[in-house]
Amino acid sequence: LDAKNLRVGALLERIYRGQESWQKLARVLDARGGDAPGKEERAASLLRLGRVAQRKLEDEDRATAAYERVLDLWPGNQEAMSFLSEHFSKTEQWDHLVALYEDQLRGGGAKSGEEAGIVFQIAMVNWRMRKKPDLAEPYFDRLRRFEPAHHGMLAFFREFCTEGDDRARLLTILTDAQRSLADGPDKTALATEIARLAEAGANAQKAIDQYKTILRHDPANIEARQSLKRLYTQTEGWNALIELLRQDLERTPADDKTARLKVLREIASVYRDRIKSDTALVTVLTQIVQLDGDDIDSLRELVRVYEALGRWRDLLQHQSTLAGLLPQGEEKATLFRSVAKRWLEQFSNVQNATDAYESLLAAAPGDEEAISKLKELYAKRRAWAPLYALFEKQAEAASGKARIDLLGEMAKLAAERLDRGADAIKIYKAILDEDPARGDVLDLLERQADRDKDFATVAWSLERRLAIADNDAARLTVLQKLGGVYADRLADHAGATKTWRRALEIQPGHPKALRVLRDSYLANNDFDGLEELYASQNDWEGLSEVLSTAADRAAEPEAKVDLSFRTARVLTEKLGSTERAFRSYERILSVRPDDATAAAALVAIYEAEEKWSRLPALYETLLTAAQEDDQKLALLHRLVDVTGHKLGERAAAVQWAFKAYDLAPTEERLDELEEASRAAKSWELYVDAVTTRLKKKKGVSNKDRRSLKSKLARLHATELGRLDDAISEYRTLVEEEPGDEEAVAALDKLLRSEDRRDDLRWLFELRATQGAEDARASILTEW
């Protein structure tokens, strides 16, 4: 009834939305979009219709139609434009999309400031979507007026002009874009691009201007610097290139040696190869060498330039430096030779010339010119040490007579100029090693060694002189001097001994040799050597006297003993005078009383001479040292004999006999003790010995025991007058063995002499009852 009733339509829209009746809602909104009285109300209804169709009904076509009607009523509506542009793009309806944007432009739908965006959209659709750059070109060109530096527009014209080979237009477009930009990375990038285009178009100057502009705003731009270097090289702008390189050098940190060297070498190449300015090149090369002192190529170039410029002192300095860096070879030697000659001939500088010639000789060992000049210069400057070193180097390489001559010069310098006596001596020895017959060198060596108090070398030279002496008289003279050096200067006992022995070989019996050797051997306690010396002369009598005297004078006990034994051995073995050795043995025993060897030797002498009084003490010494019982028994027996029979010391003899029996309790030893006791009329030790023996429970047989008791009984009866003890001892023996006739007879005799009838009756009864059968009858009769 009333299609334009807004209130009813709004209420109905609200009801359908609440019921989610989207189709009905869409019909209501579609109707209101055509019938609503106001344009804004119709557009609003259509917007809501588009949303319902898109979001609720999912009807893209109906939504598209709704939004197109919106744009008809409301050009430029953002929602409608957004949906339609997305829809046409998604469905690739590029013509519709372009038409959409163009309608907006024509219909005034674009707001202020939005026109450039719409133009860009149209241009992009034609270029990228429709693939029609010709249709896109007017729009991009129109966009330039809005934004001369628009990135999309610039990208299009880069491609469009490149394909059309229209670099001029592209250059213009990029230049306009560059002007519109403020300083910054984008403007720098455009300037770089413009410069490349200009360079590609053979417009080098424009490219240079662009790169220079870039560097003014961005001095660190590497591409711009490299491109400028290339362009300056192409256009032969050498001064500009030098300036650019110097800027690089100023910007390079002082501690970045590698980078600064690289720049300096580039500058040097320009000065050398392009500008050809040696004056300027010198400065740059000097800087290079200061940074890299091992740059041989730069040093060679400096040498060439200095020579060309006539700067001789600089030339000499750098020639020397260059030569020092070069390996061994002809170039190194040539440089040093040139330096040396110029210092000497042009500047008369002896010191520097000398240094250069020394370097030349090091670079070319054996160089005749260097050697000759150095000898001359060293002598002129009195530089003896370097001259000596020069001779030394020559001598190392020389041989034969040339080497010997050089060594002679060295020795002369060392001795006379350098006060190096030790070196002179060493050199003289080296000469003699190569030519032993040089007597003049021996003279020089001996004088120098004597001056330096180097007596070892004096001895060495005398030994060499001895080796070349051609007769005994000359050798004997040298030996006497050599022996004095060894003995008095070097205190070399062995050397002196050997020397004087050699003298004796030449002249046997040489008095001084004998005296010196004797004193030397004695002073050094070399008694073996002393004996050998006298043996070589077969002078045993003299040896015995020397040894005996030395023994008397010796303070050390061991030395006195040793010398005494040696004396005794010579007297007995060499001279056959054993009796003369007694003093030596006595001397030994005075120092070492317990020496068994000396004691034994003396015993033999004293026994032979029957010096009995001196023997007991010696026997005692031997007895103390004896290890075996047989030895001890023999000595004890001799002691008993000497003290008892030879000396009449019977008590002492008893003592020794007692010790012998104690050591070996045999019948023989007991008889010896008994004999000694009887001679001394002293029986205490004998009784003690027998009693002690009888008390032993082991080691004594019954026979031995009865024998001992019998001896003891007999001693009591015959020697001691102790008849009761004797009768007691015999009675025990008879009771033990009634058949012992000897005991019975002795007891019977004692009983009869003492008239002990009761004891005698007991004895008869015992014999009659227990005695032998054949004797019983006579015993009974007697009884």
Side-chain angles (χ1 to χ4, degrees), residues 3-18 25 28-29 32 41 45 48:
K4 296 181 179 180
N5 191 317
L6 296 178
R7 179 174 176 77
V8 172
L11 291 172
L12 188 59
E13 180 182 353
R14 185 170 183 180
I15 291 170
Y16 287 153
R17 192 178 295 278
L25 176 59
V28 170
L29 293 172
R32 292 187 65 188
E41 180 61 27
S45 297
R48 291 196 293 277

mmCIF file with all atom_site columns, all heavy atoms in Angstrom, residues 3-18 25 28-29 32 41 45 48:
data_model
loop_
_atom_site.group_PDB
_atom_site.id
_atom_site.type_symbol
_atom_site.label_atom_id
_atom_site.label_alt_id
_atom_site.label_comp_id
_atom_site.label_asym_id
_atom_site.label_entity_id
_atom_site.label_seq_id
_atom_site.pdbx_PDB_ins_code
_atom_site.Cartn_x
_atom_site.Cartn_y
_atom_site.Cartn_z
_atom_site.occupancy
_atom_site.B_iso_or_equiv
_atom_site.pdbx_formal_charge
_atom_site.auth_seq_id
_atom_site.auth_comp_id
_atom_site.auth_asym_id
_atom_site.auth_atom_id
_atom_site.pdbx_PDB_model_num
ATOM 1   N N   . ALA A 1 3  ? 4.794  1.724   -0.398 1.00 0.00 ? 3  ALA A N   1
ATOM 2   C CA  . ALA A 1 3  ? 6.170  1.181   -0.564 1.00 0.00 ? 3  ALA A CA  1
ATOM 3   C C   . ALA A 1 3  ? 7.217  2.094   0.033  1.00 0.00 ? 3  ALA A C   1
ATOM 4   O O   . ALA A 1 3  ? 8.322  1.671   0.372  1.00 0.00 ? 3  ALA A O   1
ATOM 5   C CB  . ALA A 1 3  ? 6.448  0.961   -2.047 1.00 0.00 ? 3  ALA A CB  1
ATOM 6   N N   . LYS A 1 4  ? 6.946  3.353   0.225  1.00 0.00 ? 4  LYS A N   1
ATOM 7   C CA  . LYS A 1 4  ? 7.957  4.293   0.699  1.00 0.00 ? 4  LYS A CA  1
ATOM 8   C C   . LYS A 1 4  ? 7.839  4.561   2.190  1.00 0.00 ? 4  LYS A C   1
ATOM 9   O O   . LYS A 1 4  ? 8.446  5.494   2.692  1.00 0.00 ? 4  LYS A O   1
ATOM 10  C CB  . LYS A 1 4  ? 7.828  5.600   -0.069 1.00 0.00 ? 4  LYS A CB  1
ATOM 11  C CG  . LYS A 1 4  ? 8.105  5.440   -1.560 1.00 0.00 ? 4  LYS A CG  1
ATOM 12  C CD  . LYS A 1 4  ? 7.987  6.784   -2.277 1.00 0.00 ? 4  LYS A CD  1
ATOM 13  C CE  . LYS A 1 4  ? 8.280  6.624   -3.759 1.00 0.00 ? 4  LYS A CE  1
ATOM 14  N NZ  . LYS A 1 4  ? 8.186  7.905   -4.490 1.00 0.00 ? 4  LYS A NZ  1
ATOM 15  N N   . ASN A 1 5  ? 7.065  3.717   2.874  1.00 0.00 ? 5  ASN A N   1
ATOM 16  C CA  . ASN A 1 5  ? 6.902  3.916   4.307  1.00 0.00 ? 5  ASN A CA  1
ATOM 17  C C   . ASN A 1 5  ? 8.172  3.422   5.013  1.00 0.00 ? 5  ASN A C   1
ATOM 18  O O   . ASN A 1 5  ? 8.405  2.230   5.156  1.00 0.00 ? 5  ASN A O   1
ATOM 19  C CB  . ASN A 1 5  ? 5.695  3.121   4.812  1.00 0.00 ? 5  ASN A CB  1
ATOM 20  C CG  . ASN A 1 5  ? 5.337  3.508   6.251  1.00 0.00 ? 5  ASN A CG  1
ATOM 21  O OD1 . ASN A 1 5  ? 6.234  3.651   7.084  1.00 0.00 ? 5  ASN A OD1 1
ATOM 22  N ND2 . ASN A 1 5  ? 4.040  3.633   6.517  1.00 0.00 ? 5  ASN A ND2 1
ATOM 23  N N   . LEU A 1 6  ? 8.950  4.375   5.431  1.00 0.00 ? 6  LEU A N   1
ATOM 24  C CA  . LEU A 1 6  ? 10.276 4.038   5.992  1.00 0.00 ? 6  LEU A CA  1
ATOM 25  C C   . LEU A 1 6  ? 10.147 3.333   7.329  1.00 0.00 ? 6  LEU A C   1
ATOM 26  O O   . LEU A 1 6  ? 10.893 2.406   7.647  1.00 0.00 ? 6  LEU A O   1
ATOM 27  C CB  . LEU A 1 6  ? 11.115 5.314   6.162  1.00 0.00 ? 6  LEU A CB  1
ATOM 28  C CG  . LEU A 1 6  ? 11.474 6.048   4.871  1.00 0.00 ? 6  LEU A CG  1
ATOM 29  C CD1 . LEU A 1 6  ? 12.257 7.300   5.197  1.00 0.00 ? 6  LEU A CD1 1
ATOM 30  C CD2 . LEU A 1 6  ? 12.245 5.169   3.938  1.00 0.00 ? 6  LEU A CD2 1
ATOM 31  N N   . ARG A 1 7  ? 9.202  3.749   8.145  1.00 0.00 ? 7  ARG A N   1
ATOM 32  C CA  . ARG A 1 7  ? 9.082  3.177   9.472  1.00 0.00 ? 7  ARG A CA  1
ATOM 33  C C   . ARG A 1 7  ? 8.674  1.718   9.384  1.00 0.00 ? 7  ARG A C   1
ATOM 34  O O   . ARG A 1 7  ? 9.254  0.859   10.075 1.00 0.00 ? 7  ARG A O   1
ATOM 35  C CB  . ARG A 1 7  ? 8.034  3.985   10.269 1.00 0.00 ? 7  ARG A CB  1
ATOM 36  C CG  . ARG A 1 7  ? 7.816  3.454   11.690 1.00 0.00 ? 7  ARG A CG  1
ATOM 37  C CD  . ARG A 1 7  ? 6.883  4.377   12.460 1.00 0.00 ? 7  ARG A CD  1
ATOM 38  N NE  . ARG A 1 7  ? 6.583  3.856   13.767 1.00 0.00 ? 7  ARG A NE  1
ATOM 39  C CZ  . ARG A 1 7  ? 7.370  3.882   14.816 1.00 0.00 ? 7  ARG A CZ  1
ATOM 40  N NH1 . ARG A 1 7  ? 8.555  4.460   14.677 1.00 0.00 ? 7  ARG A NH1 1
ATOM 41  N NH2 . ARG A 1 7  ? 6.997  3.361   15.981 1.00 0.00 ? 7  ARG A NH2 1
ATOM 42  N N   . VAL A 1 8  ? 7.677  1.430   8.517  1.00 0.00 ? 8  VAL A N   1
ATOM 43  C CA  . VAL A 1 8  ? 7.238  0.041   8.375  1.00 0.00 ? 8  VAL A CA  1
ATOM 44  C C   . VAL A 1 8  ? 8.396  -0.816  7.833  1.00 0.00 ? 8  VAL A C   1
ATOM 45  O O   . VAL A 1 8  ? 8.631  -1.923  8.288  1.00 0.00 ? 8  VAL A O   1
ATOM 46  C CB  . VAL A 1 8  ? 6.001  -0.015  7.449  1.00 0.00 ? 8  VAL A CB  1
ATOM 47  C CG1 . VAL A 1 8  ? 5.657  -1.476  7.132  1.00 0.00 ? 8  VAL A CG1 1
ATOM 48  C CG2 . VAL A 1 8  ? 4.813  0.647   8.121  1.00 0.00 ? 8  VAL A CG2 1
ATOM 49  N N   . GLY A 1 9  ? 9.077  -0.279  6.824  1.00 0.00 ? 9  GLY A N   1
ATOM 50  C CA  . GLY A 1 9  ? 10.218 -1.038  6.246  1.00 0.00 ? 9  GLY A CA  1
ATOM 51  C C   . GLY A 1 9  ? 11.284 -1.334  7.297  1.00 0.00 ? 9  GLY A C   1
ATOM 52  O O   . GLY A 1 9  ? 11.843 -2.426  7.341  1.00 0.00 ? 9  GLY A O   1
ATOM 53  N N   . ALA A 1 10 ? 11.568 -0.360  8.177  1.00 0.00 ? 10 ALA A N   1
ATOM 54  C CA  . ALA A 1 10 ? 12.617 -0.568  9.210  1.00 0.00 ? 10 ALA A CA  1
ATOM 55  C C   . ALA A 1 10 ? 12.166 -1.628  10.204 1.00 0.00 ? 10 ALA A C   1
ATOM 56  O O   . ALA A 1 10 ? 12.980 -2.485  10.628 1.00 0.00 ? 10 ALA A O   1
ATOM 57  C CB  . ALA A 1 10 ? 12.916 0.755   9.914  1.00 0.00 ? 10 ALA A CB  1
ATOM 58  N N   . LEU A 1 11 ? 10.828 -1.578  10.566 1.00 0.00 ? 11 LEU A N   1
ATOM 59  C CA  . LEU A 1 11 ? 10.327 -2.564  11.532 1.00 0.00 ? 11 LEU A CA  1
ATOM 60  C C   . LEU A 1 11 ? 10.365 -3.970  10.930 1.00 0.00 ? 11 LEU A C   1
ATOM 61  O O   . LEU A 1 11 ? 10.752 -4.937  11.587 1.00 0.00 ? 11 LEU A O   1
ATOM 62  C CB  . LEU A 1 11 ? 8.916  -2.196  11.967 1.00 0.00 ? 11 LEU A CB  1
ATOM 63  C CG  . LEU A 1 11 ? 8.797  -0.916  12.830 1.00 0.00 ? 11 LEU A CG  1
ATOM 64  C CD1 . LEU A 1 11 ? 7.313  -0.544  13.035 1.00 0.00 ? 11 LEU A CD1 1
ATOM 65  C CD2 . LEU A 1 11 ? 9.455  -1.146  14.176 1.00 0.00 ? 11 LEU A CD2 1
ATOM 66  N N   . LEU A 1 12 ? 9.951  -4.041  9.647  1.00 0.00 ? 12 LEU A N   1
ATOM 67  C CA  . LEU A 1 12 ? 9.948  -5.344  8.988  1.00 0.00 ? 12 LEU A CA  1
ATOM 68  C C   . LEU A 1 12 ? 11.377 -5.913  8.861  1.00 0.00 ? 12 LEU A C   1
ATOM 69  O O   . LEU A 1 12 ? 11.624 -7.108  9.073  1.00 0.00 ? 12 LEU A O   1
ATOM 70  C CB  . LEU A 1 12 ? 9.303  -5.205  7.599  1.00 0.00 ? 12 LEU A CB  1
ATOM 71  C CG  . LEU A 1 12 ? 9.054  -6.529  6.841  1.00 0.00 ? 12 LEU A CG  1
ATOM 72  C CD1 . LEU A 1 12 ? 8.145  -7.451  7.658  1.00 0.00 ? 12 LEU A CD1 1
ATOM 73  C CD2 . LEU A 1 12 ? 8.404  -6.247  5.476  1.00 0.00 ? 12 LEU A CD2 1
ATOM 74  N N   . GLU A 1 13 ? 12.339 -5.024  8.528  1.00 0.00 ? 13 GLU A N   1
ATOM 75  C CA  . GLU A 1 13 ? 13.764 -5.446  8.438  1.00 0.00 ? 13 GLU A CA  1
ATOM 76  C C   . GLU A 1 13 ? 14.246 -5.992  9.792  1.00 0.00 ? 13 GLU A C   1
ATOM 77  O O   . GLU A 1 13 ? 14.933 -7.018  9.857  1.00 0.00 ? 13 GLU A O   1
ATOM 78  C CB  . GLU A 1 13 ? 14.623 -4.254  8.029  1.00 0.00 ? 13 GLU A CB  1
ATOM 79  C CG  . GLU A 1 13 ? 16.111 -4.603  7.920  1.00 0.00 ? 13 GLU A CG  1
ATOM 80  C CD  . GLU A 1 13 ? 16.952 -3.390  7.556  1.00 0.00 ? 13 GLU A CD  1
ATOM 81  O OE1 . GLU A 1 13 ? 16.414 -2.323  7.261  1.00 0.00 ? 13 GLU A OE1 1
ATOM 82  O OE2 . GLU A 1 13 ? 18.226 -3.556  7.587  1.00 0.00 ? 13 GLU A OE2 1
ATOM 83  N N   . ARG A 1 14 ? 13.761 -5.366  10.859 1.00 0.00 ? 14 ARG A N   1
ATOM 84  C CA  . ARG A 1 14 ? 14.198 -5.792  12.200 1.00 0.00 ? 14 ARG A CA  1
ATOM 85  C C   . ARG A 1 14 ? 13.618 -7.151  12.552 1.00 0.00 ? 14 ARG A C   1
ATOM 86  O O   . ARG A 1 14 ? 14.289 -8.005  13.126 1.00 0.00 ? 14 ARG A O   1
ATOM 87  C CB  . ARG A 1 14 ? 13.781 -4.740  13.207 1.00 0.00 ? 14 ARG A CB  1
ATOM 88  C CG  . ARG A 1 14 ? 14.285 -5.017  14.613 1.00 0.00 ? 14 ARG A CG  1
ATOM 89  C CD  . ARG A 1 14 ? 14.035 -3.838  15.477 1.00 0.00 ? 14 ARG A CD  1
ATOM 90  N NE  . ARG A 1 14 ? 14.586 -4.062  16.820 1.00 0.00 ? 14 ARG A NE  1
ATOM 91  C CZ  . ARG A 1 14 ? 14.505 -3.172  17.817 1.00 0.00 ? 14 ARG A CZ  1
ATOM 92  N NH1 . ARG A 1 14 ? 13.944 -1.979  17.591 1.00 0.00 ? 14 ARG A NH1 1
ATOM 93  N NH2 . ARG A 1 14 ? 15.003 -3.449  18.998 1.00 0.00 ? 14 ARG A NH2 1
ATOM 94  N N   . ILE A 1 15 ? 12.334 -7.346  12.148 1.00 0.00 ? 15 ILE A N   1
ATOM 95  C CA  . ILE A 1 15 ? 11.663 -8.628  12.454 1.00 0.00 ? 15 ILE A CA  1
ATOM 96  C C   . ILE A 1 15 ? 12.366 -9.762  11.701 1.00 0.00 ? 15 ILE A C   1
ATOM 97  O O   . ILE A 1 15 ? 12.683 -10.802 12.263 1.00 0.00 ? 15 ILE A O   1
ATOM 98  C CB  . ILE A 1 15 ? 10.169 -8.541  12.087 1.00 0.00 ? 15 ILE A CB  1
ATOM 99  C CG1 . ILE A 1 15 ? 9.464  -7.579  13.048 1.00 0.00 ? 15 ILE A CG1 1
ATOM 100 C CG2 . ILE A 1 15 ? 9.530  -9.934  12.131 1.00 0.00 ? 15 ILE A CG2 1
ATOM 101 C CD1 . ILE A 1 15 ? 8.045  -7.242  12.608 1.00 0.00 ? 15 ILE A CD1 1
ATOM 102 N N   . TYR A 1 16 ? 12.579 -9.575  10.372 1.00 0.00 ? 16 TYR A N   1
ATOM 103 C CA  . TYR A 1 16 ? 13.202 -10.634 9.569  1.00 0.00 ? 16 TYR A CA  1
ATOM 104 C C   . TYR A 1 16 ? 14.641 -10.951 10.045 1.00 0.00 ? 16 TYR A C   1
ATOM 105 O O   . TYR A 1 16 ? 15.083 -12.093 10.044 1.00 0.00 ? 16 TYR A O   1
ATOM 106 C CB  . TYR A 1 16 ? 13.258 -10.230 8.093  1.00 0.00 ? 16 TYR A CB  1
ATOM 107 C CG  . TYR A 1 16 ? 11.878 -10.283 7.424  1.00 0.00 ? 16 TYR A CG  1
ATOM 108 C CD1 . TYR A 1 16 ? 11.589 -9.469  6.323  1.00 0.00 ? 16 TYR A CD1 1
ATOM 109 C CD2 . TYR A 1 16 ? 10.890 -11.177 7.881  1.00 0.00 ? 16 TYR A CD2 1
ATOM 110 C CE1 . TYR A 1 16 ? 10.367 -9.509  5.701  1.00 0.00 ? 16 TYR A CE1 1
ATOM 111 C CE2 . TYR A 1 16 ? 9.648  -11.213 7.263  1.00 0.00 ? 16 TYR A CE2 1
ATOM 112 C CZ  . TYR A 1 16 ? 9.394  -10.391 6.183  1.00 0.00 ? 16 TYR A CZ  1
ATOM 113 O OH  . TYR A 1 16 ? 8.186  -10.437 5.585  1.00 0.00 ? 16 TYR A OH  1
ATOM 114 N N   . ARG A 1 17 ? 15.350 -9.904  10.487 1.00 0.00 ? 17 ARG A N   1
ATOM 115 C CA  . ARG A 1 17 ? 16.725 -10.123 10.964 1.00 0.00 ? 17 ARG A CA  1
ATOM 116 C C   . ARG A 1 17 ? 16.693 -10.948 12.246 1.00 0.00 ? 17 ARG A C   1
ATOM 117 O O   . ARG A 1 17 ? 17.542 -11.817 12.451 1.00 0.00 ? 17 ARG A O   1
ATOM 118 C CB  . ARG A 1 17 ? 17.408 -8.777  11.198 1.00 0.00 ? 17 ARG A CB  1
ATOM 119 C CG  . ARG A 1 17 ? 18.925 -8.888  11.414 1.00 0.00 ? 17 ARG A CG  1
ATOM 120 C CD  . ARG A 1 17 ? 19.546 -7.534  11.578 1.00 0.00 ? 17 ARG A CD  1
ATOM 121 N NE  . ARG A 1 17 ? 19.442 -6.718  10.398 1.00 0.00 ? 17 ARG A NE  1
ATOM 122 C CZ  . ARG A 1 17 ? 20.255 -6.777  9.340  1.00 0.00 ? 17 ARG A CZ  1
ATOM 123 N NH1 . ARG A 1 17 ? 21.246 -7.658  9.337  1.00 0.00 ? 17 ARG A NH1 1
ATOM 124 N NH2 . ARG A 1 17 ? 20.074 -6.000  8.305  1.00 0.00 ? 17 ARG A NH2 1
ATOM 125 N N   . GLY A 1 18 ? 15.703 -10.635 13.114 1.00 0.00 ? 18 GLY A N   1
ATOM 126 C CA  . GLY A 1 18 ? 15.582 -11.403 14.345 1.00 0.00 ? 18 GLY A CA  1
ATOM 127 C C   . GLY A 1 18 ? 15.221 -12.845 14.083 1.00 0.00 ? 18 GLY A C   1
ATOM 128 O O   . GLY A 1 18 ? 15.637 -13.734 14.804 1.00 0.00 ? 18 GLY A O   1
ATOM 129 N N   . LEU A 1 25 ? 14.457 -10.879 4.154  1.00 0.00 ? 25 LEU A N   1
ATOM 130 C CA  . LEU A 1 25 ? 15.150 -9.623  4.473  1.00 0.00 ? 25 LEU A CA  1
ATOM 131 C C   . LEU A 1 25 ? 15.757 -9.037  3.203  1.00 0.00 ? 25 LEU A C   1
ATOM 132 O O   . LEU A 1 25 ? 15.702 -7.809  2.978  1.00 0.00 ? 25 LEU A O   1
ATOM 133 C CB  . LEU A 1 25 ? 16.245 -9.880  5.504  1.00 0.00 ? 25 LEU A CB  1
ATOM 134 C CG  . LEU A 1 25 ? 17.119 -8.686  5.877  1.00 0.00 ? 25 LEU A CG  1
ATOM 135 C CD1 . LEU A 1 25 ? 16.250 -7.547  6.433  1.00 0.00 ? 25 LEU A CD1 1
ATOM 136 C CD2 . LEU A 1 25 ? 18.198 -9.096  6.890  1.00 0.00 ? 25 LEU A CD2 1
ATOM 137 N N   . VAL A 1 28 ? 13.123 -7.307  1.126  1.00 0.00 ? 28 VAL A N   1
ATOM 138 C CA  . VAL A 1 28 ? 12.751 -6.014  1.727  1.00 0.00 ? 28 VAL A CA  1
ATOM 139 C C   . VAL A 1 28 ? 13.825 -4.964  1.396  1.00 0.00 ? 28 VAL A C   1
ATOM 140 O O   . VAL A 1 28 ? 13.502 -3.840  0.995  1.00 0.00 ? 28 VAL A O   1
ATOM 141 C CB  . VAL A 1 28 ? 12.580 -6.157  3.246  1.00 0.00 ? 28 VAL A CB  1
ATOM 142 C CG1 . VAL A 1 28 ? 12.442 -4.790  3.901  1.00 0.00 ? 28 VAL A CG1 1
ATOM 143 C CG2 . VAL A 1 28 ? 11.368 -7.007  3.558  1.00 0.00 ? 28 VAL A CG2 1
ATOM 144 N N   . LEU A 1 29 ? 15.093 -5.340  1.604  1.00 0.00 ? 29 LEU A N   1
ATOM 145 C CA  . LEU A 1 29 ? 16.181 -4.382  1.351  1.00 0.00 ? 29 LEU A CA  1
ATOM 146 C C   . LEU A 1 29 ? 16.285 -4.028  -0.118 1.00 0.00 ? 29 LEU A C   1
ATOM 147 O O   . LEU A 1 29 ? 16.570 -2.876  -0.490 1.00 0.00 ? 29 LEU A O   1
ATOM 148 C CB  . LEU A 1 29 ? 17.521 -4.958  1.839  1.00 0.00 ? 29 LEU A CB  1
ATOM 149 C CG  . LEU A 1 29 ? 17.651 -5.139  3.360  1.00 0.00 ? 29 LEU A CG  1
ATOM 150 C CD1 . LEU A 1 29 ? 18.943 -5.897  3.698  1.00 0.00 ? 29 LEU A CD1 1
ATOM 151 C CD2 . LEU A 1 29 ? 17.638 -3.782  4.052  1.00 0.00 ? 29 LEU A CD2 1
ATOM 152 N N   . ARG A 1 32 ? 13.547 -1.567  -0.826 1.00 0.00 ? 32 ARG A N   1
ATOM 153 C CA  . ARG A 1 32 ? 13.846 -0.264  -0.245 1.00 0.00 ? 32 ARG A CA  1
ATOM 154 C C   . ARG A 1 32 ? 14.956 0.418   -1.025 1.00 0.00 ? 32 ARG A C   1
ATOM 155 O O   . ARG A 1 32 ? 14.981 1.647   -1.140 1.00 0.00 ? 32 ARG A O   1
ATOM 156 C CB  . ARG A 1 32 ? 14.276 -0.419  1.211  1.00 0.00 ? 32 ARG A CB  1
ATOM 157 C CG  . ARG A 1 32 ? 13.113 -0.879  2.107  1.00 0.00 ? 32 ARG A CG  1
ATOM 158 C CD  . ARG A 1 32 ? 13.535 -0.852  3.554  1.00 0.00 ? 32 ARG A CD  1
ATOM 159 N NE  . ARG A 1 32 ? 13.812 0.539   3.986  1.00 0.00 ? 32 ARG A NE  1
ATOM 160 C CZ  . ARG A 1 32 ? 14.334 0.862   5.148  1.00 0.00 ? 32 ARG A CZ  1
ATOM 161 N NH1 . ARG A 1 32 ? 14.711 -0.106  5.971  1.00 0.00 ? 32 ARG A NH1 1
ATOM 162 N NH2 . ARG A 1 32 ? 14.525 2.140   5.456  1.00 0.00 ? 32 ARG A NH2 1
ATOM 163 N N   . GLU A 1 41 ? 19.089 6.893   1.776  1.00 0.00 ? 41 GLU A N   1
ATOM 164 C CA  . GLU A 1 41 ? 18.406 5.735   2.348  1.00 0.00 ? 41 GLU A CA  1
ATOM 165 C C   . GLU A 1 41 ? 18.477 4.561   1.395  1.00 0.00 ? 41 GLU A C   1
ATOM 166 O O   . GLU A 1 41 ? 18.687 3.418   1.810  1.00 0.00 ? 41 GLU A O   1
ATOM 167 C CB  . GLU A 1 41 ? 16.944 6.088   2.641  1.00 0.00 ? 41 GLU A CB  1
ATOM 168 C CG  . GLU A 1 41 ? 16.133 4.938   3.248  1.00 0.00 ? 41 GLU A CG  1
ATOM 169 C CD  . GLU A 1 41 ? 16.712 4.488   4.576  1.00 0.00 ? 41 GLU A CD  1
ATOM 170 O OE1 . GLU A 1 41 ? 17.369 5.317   5.302  1.00 0.00 ? 41 GLU A OE1 1
ATOM 171 O OE2 . GLU A 1 41 ? 16.587 3.289   4.917  1.00 0.00 ? 41 GLU A OE2 1
ATOM 172 N N   . SER A 1 45 ? 20.274 1.004   2.196  1.00 0.00 ? 45 SER A N   1
ATOM 173 C CA  . SER A 1 45 ? 19.574 -0.280  2.106  1.00 0.00 ? 45 SER A CA  1
ATOM 174 C C   . SER A 1 45 ? 20.341 -1.238  1.212  1.00 0.00 ? 45 SER A C   1
ATOM 175 O O   . SER A 1 45 ? 20.463 -2.440  1.491  1.00 0.00 ? 45 SER A O   1
ATOM 176 C CB  . SER A 1 45 ? 18.153 -0.061  1.581  1.00 0.00 ? 45 SER A CB  1
ATOM 177 O OG  . SER A 1 45 ? 17.411 0.730   2.491  1.00 0.00 ? 45 SER A OG  1
ATOM 178 N N   . ARG A 1 48 ? 23.285 -2.756  3.001  1.00 0.00 ? 48 ARG A N   1
ATOM 179 C CA  . ARG A 1 48 ? 22.912 -3.841  3.890  1.00 0.00 ? 48 ARG A CA  1
ATOM 180 C C   . ARG A 1 48 ? 22.535 -5.079  3.089  1.00 0.00 ? 48 ARG A C   1
ATOM 181 O O   . ARG A 1 48 ? 22.794 -6.206  3.498  1.00 0.00 ? 48 ARG A O   1
ATOM 182 C CB  . ARG A 1 48 ? 21.764 -3.406  4.797  1.00 0.00 ? 48 ARG A CB  1
ATOM 183 C CG  . ARG A 1 48 ? 22.200 -2.346  5.805  1.00 0.00 ? 48 ARG A CG  1
ATOM 184 C CD  . ARG A 1 48 ? 21.206 -2.199  6.945  1.00 0.00 ? 48 ARG A CD  1
ATOM 185 N NE  . ARG A 1 48 ? 19.939 -1.672  6.518  1.00 0.00 ? 48 ARG A NE  1
ATOM 186 C CZ  . ARG A 1 48 ? 19.652 -0.378  6.347  1.00 0.00 ? 48 ARG A CZ  1
ATOM 187 N NH1 . ARG A 1 48 ? 20.587 0.525   6.588  1.00 0.00 ? 48 ARG A NH1 1
ATOM 188 N NH2 . ARG A 1 48 ? 18.464 -0.002  5.953  1.00 0.00 ? 48 ARG A NH2 1
#
